Amino acid sequence: MATQRITPIDPLTLEVVELIGTVVARYHEEYEEAAAGHALTGAQARLLSLLSLEPLPMRRLARKLKCEPSNVTGIVDRLEARGLVQRRPDPNDRRVKLAAATPEGRQVAKGLRESLDFAREPLAALSEEERLGLRELLRKMLAA
């Protein structure tokens, strides 16, 4: 059996990976806290945020959230019971149901976005040029 050779990670790459992990963990922690402040789970908040941008079919929501369609159905059911989301037929294909944020749902999603300080505060410490550079670097990483 051939052994796979593992190349060691250089210290700079390791530090960058650890820093990215810390940023992601802090973002998720604050997102969960912000969601709880609106009596939502993190999954409900993410779904509502997506629907505040545009109505989406349930299957596309499942793909965007990287979960099973049956999970999305349950999340939509709970948000619909609170009056934050509604189901309606897709005007282009009446067999397809779209989930859409209600006006109250869009207001809650806006409040959720406004309560997320973690991203805003550290980014405010960077100049516009630094934020533009960071944006380009992140886009480059995601395109790879």
Side-chain angles (χ1 to χ4, degrees):
M1 175 182 265
T3 58
Q4 187 176 16
R5 202 163 146 193
I6 300 173
T7 56
I9 299 175
D10 68 274
L12 176 59
T13 299
L14 186 58
E15 183 180 3
V16 169
V17 168
E18 288 174 357
L19 288 168
I20 290 171
T22 302
V23 168
V24 169
R26 284 179 59 191
Y27 174 79
H28 280 295
E29 183 180 314
E30 181 165 319
Y31 196 87
E32 293 290 328
E33 288 174 11
H38 293 274
L40 298 169
T41 65
Q44 290 171 335
R46 284 187 291 281
L47 188 142
L48 187 58
S49 292
L50 286 171
L51 294 180
S52 72
L53 302 173
E54 64 177 328
L56 292 168
M58 305 290 269
R59 288 199 181 278
R60 191 167 332 142
L61 270 172
R63 280 195 307 272
K64 285 181 174 282
L65 294 172
K66 296 178 179 30
C67 67
E68 293 296 318
S70 60
N71 290 349
V72 169
T73 299
I75 296 168
V76 169
D77 287 346
R78 288 184 285 285
L79 292 173
E80 192 172 35
R82 288 186 53 190
L84 302 176
V85 167
Q86 64 184 6
R87 288 178 172 93
R88 60 182 184 218
D90 184 334
N92 299 319
D93 184 349
R94 297 189 62 79
R95 297 170 295 172
V96 175
K97 289 283 187 196
L98 296 177
T102 63
E104 183 183 351
R106 284 190 295 278
Q107 193 63 35
V108 169
K110 180 181 179 203
L112 180 65
R113 278 190 303 275
E114 289 172 353
S115 66
L116 289 172
D117 293 328
F118 171 69
R120 257 191 312 273
E121 288 175 5
L123 289 173
L126 302 177
S127 69
E128 183 176 0
E129 184 178 328
E130 288 170 324
R131 290 192 310 272
L132 288 168
L134 177 59
R135 181 183 68 185
E136 291 310 307
L137 290 170
L138 291 170
R139 285 179 175 171
K140 186 175 183 178
M141 286 177 65
L142 292 171

